[in-house]
């Protein structure tokens, strides 16, 4: 399946239990993200795990707006961020000290020493919410499981993988007991144990129906509609102009004098924006003229 374009997420549940799940698999949407910058392979993989994670979270958090995961730390990797909006548009970026040699194998805790994970929910209309999780585990999966334990107080398990070509994830969550049907008290322990046998090549190489059959061929699994996902950046000329104006008139005038215009590159998609003195005249008013 590696040569097939697939960018999708699918929910599933187990009959007669209070366990639900999701599986995401992305290839060209993920490649569109990592090709915007020349990443070492180990960072491509870590960023891929974040891309798969935000896709999984976005299908759980039902909002008209943007959901993001951002990791910050004091190691050589300063920031890693992924976002997904209500239209299943994905974007992401990693920033690191490019003067340092990046190890071939890295752990989240290692590269974001003393850092934290911020999960932000930003509705189009409504109050912004942010949950903070200290990076204490070695993997993003462990951090996300900690987040769900703190925020939703529902037992959750996450498996993530990426290899520079595909990224994927598997998610299981136990719903409140009142949503369970009688007769399967051991479902959570059994289903998570079976999921823990998943191999990276299966998580990245099998379609969802095949993967679930491999893991749960003796279970009654109910699959729901597939949702397509894609790369998409939320930057625009107007939003970039607003960001430029936030610099203040004094700094903008200095840039116009030094460069003749104000140039901004989107870090997520590499789109280039340029604003002339005339573009900024209304904001600068009588002080617009720089020569």
């Amino acid at each position: 399946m590696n040569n097939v374009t697939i960018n999708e997420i699918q929910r599933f549940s187990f009959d007669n239990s209070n366990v639900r799940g999701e599986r995401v698999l992305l290839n060209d949407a993920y490649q569109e993200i990592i090709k915007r910058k020349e990443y070492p392979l180990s960072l491509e993989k870590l960023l891929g795990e974040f891309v798969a994670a935000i896709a999984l979270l976005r299908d759980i958090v039902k909002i008209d707006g943007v959901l993001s995961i951002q990791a910050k730390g004091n190691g050589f990797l300063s920031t890693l961020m992924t976002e997904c909006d209500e239209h299943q548009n994905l974007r992401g970026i990693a920033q690191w000290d490019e003067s340092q040699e990046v190890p071939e194998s890295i752990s989240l805790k290692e590269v974001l020493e003393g850092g934290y994970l911020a999960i932000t929910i930003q509705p189009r209309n409504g109050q912004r919410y942010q949950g903070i999780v200290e990076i204490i585990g070695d993997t993003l999966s462990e951090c996300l499981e900690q987040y769900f334990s703190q925020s939703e107080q529902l037992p959750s398990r996450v498996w993530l993988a990426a290899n520079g070509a595909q990224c994927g994830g598997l998610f299981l969550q136990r719903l409140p007991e009142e949503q369970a049907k009688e007769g399967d008290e051991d479902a959570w322990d059994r289903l998570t144990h079976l999921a823990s046998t998943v191999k990276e090549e299966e998580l990245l190489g099998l379609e969802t129906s095949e993967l679930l059959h491999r893991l749960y061929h003796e279970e009654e699994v109910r699959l729901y509609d597939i949702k397509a996902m894609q790369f998409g950046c939320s930057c625009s000329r107007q939003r970039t102009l607003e960001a430029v104006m936030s610099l203040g008139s004094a700094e903008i005038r200095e840039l116009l004098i030094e460069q003749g215009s104000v140039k901004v590159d989107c870090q997520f998609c590499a789109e280039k924006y340029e604003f002339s003195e005339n573009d900024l005249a209304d904001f600068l008013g009588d002080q617009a003229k720089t020569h």
Side-chain angles (χ1 to χ4, degrees):
M1 196 189 76
N2 290 348
N3 294 325
V4 178
T5 297
I6 184 166
N7 301 282
E8 60 190 36
I9 189 166
Q10 190 168 18
R11 305 186 88 181
F12 59 90
S13 62
F14 299 90
D15 289 352
N16 304 315
S17 81
N18 60 333
V19 181
R20 67 176 180 182
E22 291 182 335
R23 193 289 178 94
V24 65
L25 181 60
L26 308 165
N27 52 28
D28 65 336
Y30 162 49
Q31 291 166 28
E32 282 291 325
I33 291 172
I34 61 175
K35 80 177 187 181
R36 309 283 161 170
K37 191 177 177 72
E38 192 171 336
Y39 293 107
L41 180 58
S42 55
L43 288 185
E44 286 185 351
K45 291 179 179 180
L46 186 58
L47 182 54
E49 290 187 13
F50 271 73
V51 173
I54 195 64
L56 291 171
L57 283 176
R58 188 63 188 78
D59 204 52
I60 299 165
V61 180
K62 302 296 185 183
I63 60 160
D64 183 15
V66 177
L67 182 70
S68 66
I69 302 175
Q70 184 172 17
K72 281 186 169 290
N74 302 315
F76 77 87
L77 179 61
S78 57
T79 303
L80 201 157
M81 182 178 183
T82 53
E83 289 183 351
C84 187
D85 66 16
E86 67 272 29
H87 304 297
Q88 281 74 244
N89 291 314
L90 297 157
R91 68 177 191 167
I93 191 171
Q95 296 174 322
W96 74 99
D97 182 352
E98 298 184 35
S99 68
Q100 292 192 35
E101 185 175 348
V102 178
E104 292 183 5
S105 178
I106 55 179
S107 73
L108 187 68
K109 184 178 180 181
E110 199 173 68
V111 298
L112 289 162
E113 181 183 357
Y116 65 88
L117 200 69
I119 298 174
T120 305
I121 301 170
Q122 181 63 69
R124 300 292 179 195
N125 298 295
Q127 188 172 357
R128 179 175 178 267
Y129 168 81
Q130 187 173 76
I132 303 294
V133 180
E134 184 182 357
I135 297 175
I136 56 176
D138 288 331
T139 66
L140 177 58
S141 295
E142 292 176 84
C143 291
L144 292 176
E145 289 167 3
Q146 182 186 358
Y147 168 77
F148 280 109
S149 176
Q150 291 177 356
S151 66
E152 297 193 13
Q153 298 182 337
L154 294 173
S156 305
R157 293 293 310 277
V158 184
W159 293 265
L160 301 168
N163 61 10
Q166 295 95 14
C167 68
L170 179 67
F171 172 82
L172 291 181
Q173 187 170 67
R174 185 172 67 184
L175 299 173
E177 290 298 331
E178 56 267 22
Q179 296 188 33
K181 296 181 180 180
E182 294 183 5
D184 199 352
E185 297 179 358
D186 300 324
W188 175 250
D189 290 340
R190 184 178 71 255
L191 296 172
T192 54
H193 173 73
L194 290 169
S196 296
T197 67
V198 71
K199 299 179 176 65
E200 179 177 311
E201 57 267 28
E202 294 171 332
L203 199 54
L204 299 177
L206 296 179
E207 292 184 359
T208 299
S209 58
E210 293 179 273
L211 177 67
L212 295 180
H213 178 73
R214 208 288 287 166
L215 295 173
Y216 301 119
H217 57 275
E218 294 184 356
E219 306 288 341
E220 295 182 22
V221 183
R222 188 179 302 272
L223 286 167
Y224 299 92
D225 291 342
I226 293 172
K227 294 181 183 178
M229 310 197 81
Q230 61 281 321
F231 168 77
C233 190
S234 59
C235 75
S236 67
R237 184 171 178 81
Q238 181 58 37
R239 290 184 67 179
T240 307
L241 176 60
E242 291 169 1
V244 168
M245 291 190 295
S246 71
L247 297 173
S249 58
E251 187 170 347
I252 291 173
R253 284 196 301 274
E254 287 182 15
L255 290 170
L256 289 172
I257 291 169
E258 292 172 5
Q259 303 174 173
S261 63
V262 179
K263 299 175 182 178
V264 181
D265 295 349
C266 177
Q267 294 181 321
F268 288 94
C269 70
E271 184 71 27
K272 299 181 184 299
Y273 297 97
E274 184 172 1
F275 302 96
S276 67
E277 191 174 287
N278 288 337
D279 293 327
L280 298 161
D282 289 343
F283 173 69
L284 295 175
D286 292 340
Q287 298 175 326
K289 295 299 180 182
T290 58
H291 58 274

